[in-house]
Structures are given as C-alpha cells and as structure tokens.
C-alpha cells in the first residue's frame, strides 16, 4: 500500500550516497507502487544545477545503480517527474527561497529532511530550516552515520538538531538494520525454539562477526581519511550486529523494546582503554596489491601519497559483561580491500564436555553456526557424523546448509528501501535512539584515544589479502581461529 504524500528533501542530493543508494531505493519503491502521486523528491546541494540538469544526472546514475531487471524507460520517466533540485548552502545562502516556495505548495504534507552530508552540517542545516519556517509537526529529519567523530561531537550534533526537532522526529539511520538478513537475525533467534535455549555462555564458546569488503576508498577519500574503519563501520554497523546477537528478548517489537535491549548490551561492553587496546585491538592499512587479479593502489596512493594514520581494517575482541555472556568473547573484524566481500556471524559452541569414545577427544570439533549476511544470505550448521563403514567409529565433519534464495526466491529489497519508507510512515524501530548512538561512542572513543597515544601500532596488509597477520594472532593467541569454511 502506498505511503502518505510526502516531500522528501535530500541534502547532499548530488552526493555519492544519494546517487548510489537513496534515489535508487526511492525509484524501486516507486515501481512497486508505494509512492503516491504527490510524492516529491527535492535534491539540495551546492551543485550549480537546475531541476532538468538534476533529472539528467539522476537518470544516468539510475542506469548504473538499479538492477537491469528493474529498469524501464517509462518507469524512470515517471520517477524523474517527481524530482526537483535546489542549489543552496547549509548556512542559508544560495537559493533557499526556491525551497521555501516549493514546500509552501503543500504545507500539510509530511516532510522528510534527509541529511546525507557531512555531520558537522546537521546543526547548521537544522537551524536554517527552522529560521526559514520549514519545520512543522509533520516534519522528520534523517541523520546518516557516523554522527560526529567522538562522544562530544555526537552530543553536540544531537543537541543542535534537538533544538529544532523533537527526539520522536529524529531518525538516525544505520542501514545495516534495514538489511533483510539482519532483520532475519531476530526471527532466527526469537521465532525458533532450537537456538535460544543454547544462546548463552553455558553452550557458546565465542562469537565472530566479520564484515569484509573488496572495495577501496576510491572517491570517498576525503570523508574516509578523517574517519577510518573504527568510526565508519565498528561504531555503528558492527556494534549493531553485536547487539542483535547478544541482546535479551525484547518484550515486543512493536514498542521501543528492541532499542532498549540493544542499549543494555552497549552499556555492558567492557571498556577497552589504554594498555588493553594493545591486546584487544588490531588496526591496519592496505598497501598496493590485487583484487580479482586486477592491480589496485595502496591506501596512501589513493590519497596521492599523503601520510595517513587512518586505519582501513580493524579487528578487536569485545566482551559483554553480563550474566548471559560471561566469559564469551565477541571477535569483530572489518576492512576494505580484502580478498572477498563477505559478511557473516559465526557462533562457535563449546566442545561436548565428555567423549564416550576414548581417544577421539581431539576429533570432536565443536559445532559452529555460520550466519551468512551477504552476499548469498544463508545459514550453515557444522556438526559431526559417523564416517560410514565397518570397524571403529571415526568422526567426520558434515554440515546442514540453508541458502535463502533457494527457499525464498523473492527479490531481496535493498536496506534503504525499507528504511526510507519507515521514515515516511514514522516507524522508528529500526533507527537508533540518541542514547544508543552515544553509548556506542562511549565504548568506541577510548579505543581511538589509546591508538592516538600509541598503544596499538599500525599494521599493513596487501590489498586483496585476508587482512593483516596480527588479526589472526589476535584470535589465535586465545586458542581460537577465524572461520574459514564459506
Ligand atoms: C557504509 C560505510 O556505512 O557502509 C562504507 O560508510 C561501507 O564505507 C558500507 O562500504 C558498506 O555497506 P554494505 O551495505 O555494502 O555492506
């Protein structure tokens, strides 16, 4: 069913995110019939374009960022007619009067102000919106991650935006929460009886969370070099995944329950400060190498040879200090320019406490549940079986596998499709509350400080490799290994 009529205003409307994700997502919702006739999309940025120029640019970008099966000239034309463009600046200069006029045509409509620009502009844009009288009770604001670069800057931004928008109007997006595979984690845990009774420290040895990318930093070096993998991925996406794996069952998903439970996990994380960062974290940067047999430059070459202490890879050991997870480490790793694009959660169970086959103790490898998030969403449970044949028992590793595309062949919507519609509908469940974002920073910031103070040195890894050796050492020094069965 279509959502309500809406003016969807994208600040940073000509930027990378808008072109690669936001406009394609709106287009895909449009062809599914979810955008009503009076749904407008208004791009805003400093680019010197008019609405026709914007439509041309968007048409070209859609042709590369929408899957071929969903492209149709008629549908693209219809979508382009929804688009408008205003050239304006965050601080109120440029053609703001044009935006005021456009919005004045439909004062009662829901307004979504999507801030897809540098976080330091979130406050100034909010103030300008208020000064121009554009914010009403039907307005919502969407803040892209990372909000700020540390706890204080996140608080400042939240305060500044909070002077204009009530908390219920603020949608802090983490697109990982919109991924089908990530929402499926909740279903897997809470709609199946076979897992939850084992989902705790008495049966689980440790958990691994990996988000590996083959992409380099490319066009985004300006943003990325001031951020790095810890701020860009761990503070938000990886911690959110950790929260969904570790949280207690919420009372219900229809209220704020999920957000409360995630917050409790963030607050239970053991701080990684000072010296601890040397044993619990690894940071690294990629050097020149090859991805898919194609030579690619190193990170610093992408910055035109500039020196940089920005990490493109992080591995770390996190501990959730609560009753359920006592003594169960969560190993997290993420990086750019690795050998494969692969995101997975691996739950490694404890060994069977007693072997009834004398001498086979060392062959009793523990069960492992591999939850593959992308690409090719699926689940695989590694178990032991008897090697067929006469004679004594020999144990043989086998696995039970489920590939979602085989059993559920519907097109998997992009994360942004779901989330953008949730904003228009006013459903905040999959967005981060202020206290959650700040708790995530509270845990992340000491690691940044410890690195800055020189507690963990920067490692290097060749582009296209599996990451730095130090990341293997991090987990192997605990007598464990990263999952390598894919
Ligand atoms: C973004 C990060 O939030 O997530 C990017 O800023 C990263 O650096 C991207 O590439 C990964 O998202 P996905 O959906 O491709 O896994």
């Amino acid at each position: 069913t279509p959502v309500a009529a809406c003016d969807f205003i994208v600040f940073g409307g000509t930027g990378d995110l808008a072109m690669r994700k936001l406009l394609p997502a709106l287009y895909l919702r449009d062809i599914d019939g979810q955008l009503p006739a009076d749904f407008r999309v208004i791009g805003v940025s400093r680019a010197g374009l008019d609405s026709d120029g914007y439509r041309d640019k968007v048409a070209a970008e859609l042709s590369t960022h929408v899957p071929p099966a969903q492209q149709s000239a008629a549908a693209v034309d219809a979508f382009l007619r929804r688009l408008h463009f205003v050239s304006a600046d965050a601080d109120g200069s440029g053609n703001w009067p044009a935006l005021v006029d456009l919005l004045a045509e439909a004062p009662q409509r829901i307004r979504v102000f999507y801030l897809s620009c540098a976080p330091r502009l979130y406050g100034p844009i909010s103030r300008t919106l208020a000064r121009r009288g554009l914010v009403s009770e039907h307005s919502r604001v969407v803040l892209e991650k990372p909000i700020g670069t540390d706890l204080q800057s996140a608080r400042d931004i939240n305060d500044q935006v909070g002077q204009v928008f009530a908390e219920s109007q603020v949608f802090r997006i983490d697109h990982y929460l919109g991924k089908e595979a990530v929402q499926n984690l909740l279903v897997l845990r809470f709609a199946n009886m076979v897992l939850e009774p084992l989902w705790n420290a008495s049966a689980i040895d440790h958990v691994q969370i990996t988000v590996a990318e083959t992409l380099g930093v490319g066009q985004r070096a300006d943003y990325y070099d001031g951020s790095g993998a810890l701020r860009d991925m761990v503070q938000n996406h990886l911690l959110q995944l950790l929260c969904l794996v570790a949280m207690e069952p919420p009372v219900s998903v229809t209220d704020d329950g999920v957000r409360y439970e995630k917050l409790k996990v963030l607050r239970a994380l053991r701080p990684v400060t000072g010296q601890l960062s040397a044993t619990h974290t690894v940071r690294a940067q990629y050097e020149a190498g090859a991805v898919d047999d194609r030579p690619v430059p190193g990170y610093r070459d992408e910055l035109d040879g500039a020196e940089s202490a920005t990490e493109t890879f992080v591995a770390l050991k996190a501990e959730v200090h609560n009753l359920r997870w006592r003594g169960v480490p969560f190993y997290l790793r993420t990086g750019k320019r690795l050998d494969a694009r692969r995101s997975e959660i691996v739950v490694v169970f404890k060994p069977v406490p007693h072997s009834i086959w004398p001498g086979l103790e060392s062959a009793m490898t523990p069960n492992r549940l591999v939850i593959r998030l992308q690409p090719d969403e699926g689940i695989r449970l590694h178990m032991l079986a008897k090697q067929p044949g006469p004679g004594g028992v020999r144990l043989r590793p086998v696995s039970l596998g489920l590939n979602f595309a085989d059993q559920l062949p519907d097109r998997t919507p992009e994360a942004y499709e779901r989330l953008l519609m949730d904003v228009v509908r006013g459903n905040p469940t999959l967005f981060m509350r202020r206290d959650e974002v700040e708790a995530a920073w509270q845990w992340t910031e000491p690691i940044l400080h410890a690195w800055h103070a020189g507690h963990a040195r920067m490692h290097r890894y060749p582009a296209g490799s599996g990451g730095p050796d130090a990341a293997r050492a991090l987990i192997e020094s605990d007598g464990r290994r990263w999952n390598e069965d894919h």
Side-chain angles (χ1 to χ4, degrees):
T1 47
V3 294
C6 172
D7 281 337
F8 199 100
I9 302 107
V10 185
F11 286 84
T14 47
D16 180 74
L17 182 73
M19 291 303 160
R20 280 193 310 118
K21 299 286 184 188
L22 306 181
L23 288 149
L26 290 169
Y27 166 80
L28 289 167
R29 289 296 84 222
D30 194 15
I31 60 173
D32 260 5
Q34 212 170 10
L35 306 190
D38 36 11
F39 190 107
R40 297 189 293 184
V41 180
I42 304 168
V44 181
S45 80
R46 286 190 303 191
L49 289 175
D50 58 13
S51 290
D52 280 334
Y54 190 58
R55 291 183 189 115
D56 291 344
K57 179 173 169 59
V58 172
E61 299 274 359
L62 289 180
S63 69
T64 36
H65 299 303
V66 168
Q70 270 76 42
Q71 297 203 15
S72 113
V76 170
D77 274 352
F79 180 70
L80 295 180
R81 282 197 290 277
R82 299 180 181 282
L83 301 187
H84 301 263
F85 183 78
V86 174
S87 179
D89 227 324
D91 62 8
S93 56
N95 205 358
W96 277 84
L99 183 60
V100 174
D101 287 347
L102 262 176
L103 295 181
E105 291 169 16
Q108 292 304 321
R109 231 177 244 178
I110 291 172
R111 282 180 196 161
V112 174
F113 298 105
Y114 198 113
L115 309 192
S116 164
C117 51
R120 66 187 153 71
L121 300 178
Y122 295 172
I125 292 175
S126 301
R127 277 197 298 275
T128 309
L129 289 170
R131 208 171 52 233
R132 297 275 179 176
L134 298 179
V135 179
S136 76
E137 55 184 314
H138 306 297
S139 301
R140 285 153 207 171
V141 66
V142 186
L143 309 183
E144 261 295 335
K145 50 110 318 219
I147 295 178
T149 51
D150 55 17
L151 181 58
Q152 190 54 49
S153 57
R155 282 189 177 141
D156 291 344
I157 290 170
N158 281 328
D159 282 344
Q160 289 163 14
V161 173
Q163 279 158 17
V164 175
F165 295 95
E167 177 66 17
S168 60
Q169 297 176 294
V170 182
F171 288 71
R172 296 179 190 81
I173 200 162
D174 181 315
H175 80 283
Y176 267 55
L177 295 177
K179 287 182 188 272
E180 286 287 329
V182 175
Q183 290 170 48
N184 202 15
L185 274 176
L186 294 187
V187 178
L188 187 69
R189 282 193 60 196
F190 301 127
N192 293 291
M193 190 61 203
V194 294
L195 293 177
E196 199 54 25
L198 296 178
W199 209 256
N200 56 56
S202 41
I204 293 176
D205 177 75
H206 73 281
V207 177
Q208 305 178 7
I209 301 179
T210 299
V211 177
E213 299 184 274
T214 52
L215 284 178
V217 175
Q219 310 298 311
R220 299 167 71 226
D222 265 357
Y223 150 72
Y224 194 88
D225 199 52
S227 175
L230 192 71
R231 292 184 174 104
D232 184 53
M233 297 293 288
V234 177
Q235 189 270 344
N236 33 80
H237 305 326
L238 275 89
L239 284 185
Q240 287 294 314
L241 294 177
L242 182 151
C243 285
L244 294 178
V245 172
M247 73 183 199
E248 296 302 315
V251 173
S252 133
V253 294
T254 52
D255 54 14
D256 229 9
V258 175
R259 304 205 287 184
Y260 270 114
E261 295 304 337
K262 288 192 297 173
L263 180 66
K264 279 160 57 187
V265 174
L266 292 169
R267 293 207 169 137
L269 285 172
R270 177 187 182 193
V272 179
T273 50
Q275 278 300 336
L276 203 59
S277 76
T279 50
H280 281 51
T281 73
V282 168
R283 58 174 170 146
Q285 204 182 62
Y286 62 82
E287 303 202 296
V291 170
D292 296 332
D293 296 329
R294 197 169 39 88
V296 293
Y299 178 69
R300 276 170 299 172
D301 305 324
E302 291 189 311
L303 302 180
D304 301 322
E307 273 305 313
S308 165
T310 300
E311 79 289 354
T312 60
F313 178 100
V314 186
L316 54 86
K317 176 173 160 178
E319 293 163 82
V320 182
H321 271 196
N322 66 15
L323 192 58
R324 184 188 283 258
W325 297 112
R326 167 118 217 117
V328 180
F330 285 71
Y331 299 95
L332 273 45
R333 62 179 169 162
T334 183
K336 302 271 182 211
R337 282 280 190 246
L338 294 171
D339 50 357
R341 175 167 190 255
R342 185 183 308 120
S343 302
E344 64 180 23
I345 295 169
V346 182
V347 178
V348 181
F349 289 86
K350 295 210 152 130
V352 173
H354 171 77
S355 166
I356 61 170
W357 299 281
L360 288 194
E361 290 78 4
S362 65
M364 297 195 57
T365 48
N367 296 135
R368 236 173 326 132
L369 178 70
V370 179
I371 305 168
R372 163 93 86 145
L373 304 176
Q374 60 188 27
D376 310 326
E377 187 185 345
I379 296 175
R380 186 165 288 281
L381 179 61
H382 294 268
M383 311 179 62
L384 287 174
K386 179 181 174 299
Q387 169 76 42
V393 165
R394 274 187 296 150
L395 301 177
R396 177 76 186 271
V398 290
S399 69
L400 276 173
L402 164 63
N403 185 340
F404 279 79
D406 295 343
Q407 293 196 32
L408 304 164
D410 322 62
R411 176 180 81 87
T412 304
E414 286 283 330
Y416 278 102
E417 293 181 55
R418 159 78 194 264
L419 295 175
L420 299 189
M421 294 302 100
D422 276 357
V423 176
V424 179
R425 283 187 289 247
N427 176 5
T429 307
L430 296 178
F431 295 82
M432 285 181 292
R433 237 171 28 198
R434 172 175 183 154
D435 47 8
E436 249 186 288
V437 171
E438 293 181 3
W441 274 123
Q442 192 140 21
W443 184 76
T444 312
E445 188 179 277
I447 301 176
L448 291 164
H449 286 319
W451 286 356
H452 195 67
H455 283 299
R457 76 179 179 86
M458 181 73 84
H459 296 270
R460 312 271 163 201
Y461 60 102
S465 69
D469 291 338
R472 263 182 293 282
L474 173 87
I475 188 167
E476 287 176 11
S477 64
D478 290 345
R480 301 175 172 118
R481 313 180 67 100
W482 293 110
N483 176 51
E484 269 162 19
D485 297 307
H486 306 298

